[in-house]
Amino acid sequence: MKGIILAGGSGTRLRPLTLGVSKQLLPVGDKPMIYYPLSVLMLTGIRDILVISTPVDLPQFQRLLGDGSQLGLSLTYRAQHRPVGLPDAFVVGADHIGDDSVALILGDNIFHGHHFYSVLAEHSTDVRGCVLFGYPVHDPERYGVGEVDADGRLLSIEEKPEKPRSNTAITGLYFYDNHVVDVARNLRPSERGELEITDVNRWYLERDAARLVNLGRGFAWLDTGTPESLLQAGQYVGTLEARQGVRIACIEEVALRMGYIDSDACYRLGVRIGPSEYGAYVRTIATELADGG
């Protein structure tokens, strides 16, 4: 499976914060926002990842993450010249996807939960059709909404419905088989002139090839698209990290625990980061795991 992080857009709801920097490079806790979706793809077992952003912002991501080799990854970059909707990621990234299945994650979405690794591993294996991830919200009219029956079978998908049939929002993490490239290429724009991810998902639903995994209790899904939600995400991450003594979305630790790099390489990354608390944490984790911790 290949991975795509869609980190485009102009972040208008976050201005003036985003007038000089990409939204996905803003800090959430002590790390850039893009670390969170990147860590999700890494936990899924994906090492070949494409980052899509605007032509202006793309060099900033390249400067931050490089080619990914320091993390045992292969990171490539592609510019999206016009923000025409999420499905455009599959058109822009068609060469990257090739004949594989693909995971798309939005660059401003944060996921966290116990045994999330197991959930990702279970549903990313042999993807046939599409796998969507749902999360209960109190304001489903703001989201794409999935309706399931008593057996958990997906019945309908609606985009920002006035009268939602459920409170299950479809999050910004999607797994698709290889058909998604052709589906995206043949989509017609909506009345807003954009390609809609809901139309992609409905294509699979109409062929009884769409599944909805309800993350529900024990998980957190945070969308950081507004100043309020960005602040809440930072508070959530900071509180959890302070109480548990671990760091969420520490990509160096994820790379080490997934076996993408060894302890020595991880320690060197901690040294390169420097004297910050984050750098010290990376060095500590590398030392502990080298000693069998």
Side-chain angles (χ1 to χ4, degrees), residues 20-36:
V21 65
S22 168
K23 171 175 64 175
Q24 292 83 6
L25 291 172
L26 293 175
V28 178
D30 59 358
K31 60 192 75 70
M33 188 187 298
I34 196 171
Y35 276 32
Y36 296 87

Side-chain angles (χ1 to χ4, degrees), residues 138-216:
H138 73 277
D139 50 354
E141 64 278 358
R142 293 180 53 225
Y143 304 94
V145 175
E147 176 194 13
V148 297
D149 62 17
D151 297 322
R153 188 170 64 92
L154 188 59
L155 298 176
S156 69
I157 302 171
E158 298 178 286
E159 182 63 28
K160 298 180 180 178
E162 292 184 5
K163 296 181 179 180
R165 297 180 183 179
S166 81
N167 71 332
T168 303
I170 296 174
T171 71
L173 174 64
Y174 315 86
F175 295 166
Y176 296 99
D177 64 18
N178 195 255
H179 287 103
V180 73
V181 176
D182 287 334
V183 174
R185 281 174 172 156
N186 290 292
L187 277 187
R188 292 184 178 180
S190 67
E191 294 179 357
R192 298 187 301 167
E194 295 184 358
L195 304 178
E196 300 288 351
I197 197 69
T198 296
D199 291 334
V200 174
N201 297 334
R202 283 191 183 129
W203 185 92
Y204 282 97
L205 179 62
E206 290 167 0
R207 289 155 181 80
D208 198 26
R211 289 184 287 143
L212 181 65
V213 178
N214 199 332
L215 296 177

Side-chain angles (χ1 to χ4, degrees), residues 211-243:
R211 289 184 287 143
L212 181 65
V213 178
N214 199 332
L215 296 177
R217 183 171 297 183
F219 285 87
W221 170 54
L222 306 170
D223 179 347
T224 55
T226 66
E228 294 79 13
S229 60
L230 181 63
L231 178 61
Q232 290 168 2
Q235 291 172 334
Y236 172 86
V237 170
T239 299
L240 230 60
E241 291 184 343
R243 288 184 176 180

Side-chain angles (χ1 to χ4, degrees), residues 6 8-9 52-56 58 77-85 88-89 92:
L6 186 55
I52 298 176
S53 189
T54 67
V56 172
L58 210 56
Y77 302 85
R78 192 70 58 82
Q80 184 184 44
H81 295 276
R82 292 188 304 117
V84 293
D88 189 49
V92 173

